[in-house]
Amino acid sequence: MQELAGRLTALDPEASASLKVIASFDALVAGGVGIEALVRAAAVLGGTIAGARIGGRTTRVDADGRVAPEGDAAQWPQVSDGDATVWIERDGAPHANVFSRGFG
């Protein structure tokens, strides 16, 4: 995937950034990391607060990768699947590549 991302950079930098994000999360999942590491990656790569609520436990991480205090997650668009809910606390119009840091 890294080779493909490198080739794609010259043709479509935005698509290349998307592939790098996917590869990063693929590596984390393959490594068996927990939910806090996944939320931390989303927050750092997105440059904003990210959160997850699973089984009544909330994990919220800021853009610097530090655990953030509880906030009002209800005001942000969320994705839920049964017992799990995730969100990214970003203002503005949604777009494919919200990630502002981590790739160069």
Side-chain angles (χ1 to χ4, degrees):
M1 185 170 309
Q2 294 298 337
E3 183 179 332
L4 176 61
R7 289 183 191 173
L8 192 55
T9 298
L11 298 173
D12 188 343
E14 194 169 301
S16 175
S18 294
L19 275 179
K20 290 176 183 177
V21 169
I22 292 166
S24 294
F25 281 97
D26 279 351
L28 289 171
V29 171
V33 301
I35 189 65
E36 189 170 318
L38 291 170
V39 172
R40 180 172 285 110
V44 171
L45 291 172
T48 190
I49 292 175
R53 185 176 311 104
I54 299 175
R57 179 174 177 250
T58 299
T59 300
R60 192 167 174 262
V61 179
D62 69 19
D64 293 321
R66 297 180 304 235
V67 174
E70 290 269 343
D72 183 15
Q75 69 176 326
W76 302 103
Q78 301 178 5
V79 176
S80 294
D81 182 18
D83 196 33
T85 302
V86 296
W87 64 93
I88 294 179
E89 300 179 18
R90 176 179 294 284
D91 290 320
H95 52 90
N97 291 319
V98 298
F99 302 99
S100 61
R101 298 190 290 175
F103 302 111

